[in-house]
Amino acid sequence: MENKIHIQITTAGGTVCDEMANYVAVPLTDGEAGILANHANMIGALNEGVVRYKIDDEMHFAAVSGGVMSVADNELIILARSAERAETIDLARAQASEARAKERIAAKADNLDLKRAELSLHRALAREKAYTMLHKN
């Protein structure tokens, strides 16, 4: 287990990932953070995007949308509004969500919650990216 860090990705709905990883890349609001074993303590605000993590020689991906992360005592804990492992993503559903969000934004209806529509679009794009990254390898 040496040279690995414990990664846990959790949402209000439960734990999405609970693994020992060699390397983790986390999308933060101020850029991507690369995390290795015995990383210095830190906290950060998550951005919508893809968490990439390597276990031995295999890359894994999870789409996340918003939340926080903390590194302490060789543990990376990600508390996300939503998270989904790439292998469970339904690409057609993600693409449909993207199309709906773009339609809502383009329609500019009076009752449109623009921030919510934009978050929905970013979440769909992150899910599509995670799916694509998994199936590219």
Side-chain angles (χ1 to χ4, degrees), residues 2-99:
E2 69 183 47
N3 293 327
K4 291 191 176 185
I5 185 166
H6 180 236
I7 174 176
Q8 185 173 25
I9 302 174
T10 302
T11 69
T15 299
V16 173
C17 172
D18 191 357
E19 304 278 356
M20 294 299 292
N22 303 85
Y23 172 79
V24 185
V26 182
L28 300 176
T29 56
D30 57 353
E32 185 175 85
I35 313 287
L36 294 168
N38 303 309
H39 193 283
N41 293 354
M42 71 178 284
I43 58 171
L46 283 181
N47 203 12
E48 286 76 17
V50 179
V51 174
R52 302 183 327 268
Y53 55 102
K54 186 174 185 179
I55 300 174
D56 299 323
D57 291 327
E58 189 175 349
M59 288 300 297
H60 299 266
F61 309 95
V64 295
S65 97
V68 295
M69 61 137 274
S70 167
V71 178
D73 299 324
N74 210 35
E75 267 197 323
L76 167 60
I77 298 174
I78 296 173
L79 302 174
R81 268 187 243 122
S82 68
E84 191 172 356
R85 289 178 93 132
E87 55 269 18
T88 66
I89 292 172
D90 179 337
L91 182 60
R93 193 170 141 241
Q95 290 170 332
S97 293
E98 176 190 359

